């Protein structure tokens, strides 16, 4: 296991010094052999900020016997690099049940975490955009379910919660099947189509829209149709 896994596995004594590590840990610290790591701690390998957090966690495990399960940890290296790992740590016991250190396994989740942070950042951008430039914008799937609607649309329809809204609840005078025909949904992927639709509210507001049928499928097999007010 220690020679083949890509996860980082490590055993430490009561002072958080390494006593066994996987080959992947040796590579992580840019060492050739395990013996170059044994007897040292995280503080010796270029990420002091994370080492302080890891040391505190391990000392708490030794004191209480309580494990640390699937915790996402940020590793800030002294050279400026940032990485993220999902970590589980447990107390290491001798044959009599006494706690003599800790052992753990950490899996690199940097790519997933970077995607998550990028999505959070984009969400903040869009929220700021719709707040200060209140344009009408909707996202449907090809079955007619409304996946997103900007506040401008929701306020006109007097809707506070999107819930399970559908195209035909949002717009009057047109069935969703006719809408798909109007935009030639199957043959205009990633192309702009101009169309006017009437909101299903008392003023019967007409929206002049640019509509784009996305060609990329979502994980659930649906695809998106974007409605952007002109």
């Amino acid at each position: 296991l220690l020679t083949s896994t890509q996860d980082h596995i490590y055993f430490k004594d009561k002072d958080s010094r390494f006593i066994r590590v996987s080959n992947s840990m040796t590579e992580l610290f840019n060492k050739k052999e395990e013996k170059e790591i044994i007897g040292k701690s995280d503080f010796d390998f270029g990420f002091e900020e994370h080492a302080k957090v890891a040391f505190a966690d391990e000392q708490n495990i030794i004191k209480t016997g309580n494990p640390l399960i699937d915790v996402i940890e940020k590793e800030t290296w002294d050279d400026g690099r940032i990485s993220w790992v999902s970590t589980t740590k447990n107390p290491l016991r001798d044959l009599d049940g006494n706690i003599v250190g800790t052992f753990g396994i950490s899996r690199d989740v940097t790519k997933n975490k970077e995607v998550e942070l990028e999505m959070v950042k984009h969400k903040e951008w869009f929220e700021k955009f719709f707040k200060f430039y209140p344009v009408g914008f909707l996202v449907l799937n090809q079955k007619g379910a409304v996946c997103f609607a900007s506040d401008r649309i929701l306020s006109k329809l007097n809707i506070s919660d999107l819930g399970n809204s559908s195209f035909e609840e949002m717009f009057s005078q047109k069935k969703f099947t006719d809408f798909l025909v109007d935009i030639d949904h199957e043959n205009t992927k990633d192309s702009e189509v101009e169309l006017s639709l009437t909101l299903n509210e008392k003023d019967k507001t007409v929206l002049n829209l640019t509509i784009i049928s996305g060609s990329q499928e979502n994980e659930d097999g649906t695809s998106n149709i974007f409605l952007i007010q002109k």
Side-chain angles (χ1 to χ4, degrees):
L1 176 65
L2 293 181
T3 59
S4 62
T5 183
Q6 294 302 307
D7 294 335
H8 305 142
I9 300 177
Y10 40 89
F11 298 81
K12 297 181 179 181
D13 63 18
K14 280 190 172 182
D15 296 317
S16 290
R17 294 174 299 200
F18 293 104
I19 55 178
R20 284 301 307 273
V21 298
S22 61
N23 286 7
S24 58
M25 287 288 290
T26 305
E27 295 172 2
L28 177 68
F29 293 142
N30 292 319
K31 303 299 181 182
K32 293 182 179 180
E33 298 180 349
E34 182 186 35
K35 65 182 181 180
E36 298 179 77
I37 298 176
I38 302 307
K40 297 181 179 180
S41 73
D42 290 321
F43 290 98
D44 298 305
F45 296 106
F47 52 155
E48 184 172 354
E49 183 179 331
H50 169 70
K52 292 177 181 178
V53 176
F55 180 81
D57 287 340
E58 289 155 7
Q59 292 306 304
N60 185 62
I61 291 171
I62 291 169
K63 180 181 178 180
T64 65
N66 296 325
L68 201 65
I69 308 295
D70 290 335
V71 174
I72 302 298
E73 295 182 322
K74 179 182 180 181
E75 300 175 329
T76 302
W77 298 72
D78 289 349
D79 63 5
R81 287 182 296 128
I82 293 177
S83 55
W84 299 84
V85 292
S86 173
T87 296
T88 292
K89 295 181 181 180
N90 287 274
L92 179 63
R93 300 178 185 271
D94 64 16
L95 295 179
D96 296 319
N98 301 309
I99 296 177
V100 295
T102 59
F103 69 96
I105 180 169
S106 298
R107 173 167 296 175
D108 190 294
V109 293
T110 301
K111 290 184 179 179
N112 291 342
K113 188 63 178 181
E114 287 174 345
V115 170
E116 177 187 331
L117 292 174
E118 192 71 13
M119 291 176 66
V120 170
K121 183 169 63 176
H122 287 176
K123 181 176 183 292
E124 181 182 359
W125 290 350
F126 284 122
E127 287 176 348
K128 287 287 191 295
F129 173 78
F130 288 123
K131 178 178 180 180
F132 294 100
Y133 187 71
V135 67
F137 178 67
L138 294 98
V139 181
L140 312 172
N141 66 24
Q142 85 275 22
K143 297 179 182 179
V146 180
C147 306
F148 175 84
S150 64
D151 288 343
R152 181 179 180 87
I153 299 295
L154 294 178
S155 62
K156 281 186 171 294
L157 293 169
N158 196 28
I159 296 175
S160 57
D161 182 10
L162 192 59
N164 296 316
S165 299
S166 67
F167 172 88
E168 291 172 2
E169 290 174 304
M170 290 280 181
F171 299 103
S172 63
Q173 304 173 4
K174 190 176 291 291
K175 293 183 179 179
F176 182 67
T177 51
D178 294 332
F179 166 76
L180 292 179
V181 172
D182 288 345
I183 65 173
D184 196 10
H185 173 65
E186 292 299 327
N187 300 312
T188 57
K189 301 294 186 181
D190 297 327
S191 300
E192 296 182 4
V193 176
E194 308 298 326
L195 188 69
S196 295
L197 293 173
T198 303
L199 284 177
N200 192 19
E201 40 89 34
K202 63 179 182 178
D203 293 332
K204 300 300 180 184
T205 303
V206 176
L207 299 182
N208 296 316
L209 301 163
T210 296
I211 299 170
I212 302 170
S213 297
S215 60
Q216 186 173 350
E217 281 194 357
N218 301 315
E219 290 184 358
D220 61 1
T222 63
S223 59
N224 295 323
I225 303 173
F226 305 95
L227 288 71
I228 307 160
Q229 186 178 5
K230 296 170 61 178

